[in-house]
């Protein structure tokens, strides 16, 4: 699978959060590392988008579209801090 950085989903982050988020900090629920969304490890080959922590590879975010409805799972994100 091709690993991209979080900048590859910048447009989707705007759609989800309503503003540019690649510089905002996301804290991994698995390891506690806080890094910008732009540094997430992103994989687009799955049925949706999977964004993993660039430190521990824990799943932080999953984005899928089911029957035209965008579903977003943020369970792997403990906190978000805008810059």
């Amino acid at each position: 699978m091709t690993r991209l950085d979080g900048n590859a989903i910048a447009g989707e982050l705007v759609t989800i959060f309503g503003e540019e988020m690649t510089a905002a900090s996301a804290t991994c629920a698995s390891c506690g590392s806080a890094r910008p969304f732009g540094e997430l490890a992103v994989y687009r080959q799955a049925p949706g988008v999977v964004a993993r922590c660039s430190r521990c590879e824990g799943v932080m975010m999953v984005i899928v579209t089911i029957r035209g409805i965008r579903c977003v799972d943020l369970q792997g994100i403990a906190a978000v801090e805008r810059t």
Side-chain angles (χ1 to χ4, degrees):
M1 281 194 191
T2 302
R3 177 182 169 156
L4 305 170
D5 67 24
N7 294 306
I9 59 168
E12 292 181 67
L13 293 173
V14 169
T15 301
I16 293 164
F17 292 102
E19 61 185 272
E20 205 288 317
M21 293 295 287
T22 56
S25 179
T27 301
C28 176
S30 293
C31 72
S33 174
R35 298 175 191 260
F37 275 93
E39 291 182 15
L40 293 175
V42 173
Y43 301 91
R44 299 186 76 113
Q45 291 85 3
V49 175
V50 176
R52 294 179 171 272
C53 175
S54 58
R55 181 171 175 239
C56 75
E57 288 291 318
V59 175
M60 293 180 69
M61 178 173 24
V62 178
I63 306 166
V64 296
T65 302
I66 301 170
R67 292 185 215 115
I69 299 170
R70 178 164 288 161
C71 302
V72 183
D73 178 352
L74 302 173
Q75 287 185 5
I77 298 177
V80 173
E81 186 177 328
R82 293 184 6 227
T83 56

